[in-house]
Amino acid sequence: MKTKIGLFFGSFNPIHNGHLMLANYLAEYGDMDEIWFVVSPQNPFKDKKSLLADRHRMYMVEMAIKDDERFHVCDIEFYMPQPSYTIDTLTRLAERHPNTDFYLICGMDSLESFPKWKNYEMILKYHHLLVYPRKGHNNNELAKHPSVKVIDAPEIEISSTFIRDAIGEGKDVRYFMPKEVYKYIIDMHFYERK
């Protein structure tokens, strides 16, 4: 029987409790054996100038998940051409782990833009999507595709953008992320406005 692994792609700039709550939900209710946090060096749809260096974001994910054996960090995209495209990452992972079924974890907002992704039809043909709800985003036609499963996870409002902005404004947001991650951000003066 194949191992079922959920791939949670993201910049994790920074990782926060919303990411961890969603991963926890998918591990418990999504029938996944493991959740891999795939830290992306550059999302083709995002501006790179606000992105912390890869090693810092990777380290924060490692700190955040170190005590949970269901969670693993994956840096495969650091060694691939940039910008990274999901289909290329999935292809490489499938080649390396032939006895694994990979499930792409994404929000309903990402499903709306999914037809703009490189070779999205191939992703749907060879992989599964686990789609979680996002406020203001409703089901679309792709939600009915046989490779897509919309999960009934709680809607989580925390975002990395909110955290970066709050820190830039000098706000204390320590309870929005794991303690070690927040300490690292403060000690390193990340996201502060000069």
Side-chain angles (χ1 to χ4, degrees), residues 108 111-112 134-140 143:
M108 188 60 75
L111 191 65
E112 289 173 6
R134 292 298 293 262
K135 189 173 183 180
H137 298 275
N138 298 318
N139 286 354
N140 60 38

Side-chain angles (χ1 to χ4, degrees), residues 117-185:
W117 292 24
K118 179 183 174 185
N119 297 344
Y120 81 96
E121 303 98 333
M122 298 295 284
I123 296 175
L124 290 171
K125 184 174 180 180
Y126 294 107
H127 302 280
H128 310 276
L129 272 66
L130 290 176
V131 181
Y132 56 89
R134 292 298 293 262
K135 189 173 183 180
H137 298 275
N138 298 318
N139 286 354
N140 60 38
E141 284 305 306
L142 270 180
K144 299 171 186 166
H145 192 282
S147 294
V148 176
K149 181 179 181 185
V150 178
I151 56 167
D152 190 26
E155 287 185 25
I156 299 166
E157 294 293 313
I158 306 169
S159 75
S160 296
T161 303
F162 166 78
I163 289 169
R164 290 194 306 271
D165 290 346
I167 292 171
E169 293 167 14
K171 305 293 186 190
D172 183 333
V173 287
R174 73 180 77 187
Y175 298 115
F176 285 77
M177 66 202 84
K179 184 177 179 179
E180 300 93 332
V181 173
Y182 185 70
K183 183 178 185 311
Y184 186 66
I185 290 169

Side-chain angles (χ1 to χ4, degrees), residues 90-103:
L90 287 168
T91 301
R92 191 164 291 186
L93 285 169
E95 288 167 356
R96 290 185 183 178
H97 306 276
N99 294 319
T100 301
D101 278 334
F102 288 107
Y103 290 72

Side-chain angles (χ1 to χ4, degrees), residues 6-7 10 19 28 45 65 85 87-88 92 102 104 123 127 131 134 136 156 167 176 192:
L7 297 175
H19 294 130
E28 293 301 315
F45 297 109
I65 67 172
Y85 293 98
I87 184 62
D88 300 330
R92 191 164 291 186
F102 288 107
L104 176 63
I123 296 175
H127 302 280
V131 181
R134 292 298 293 262
I156 299 166
I167 292 171
F176 285 77
E192 293 176 5

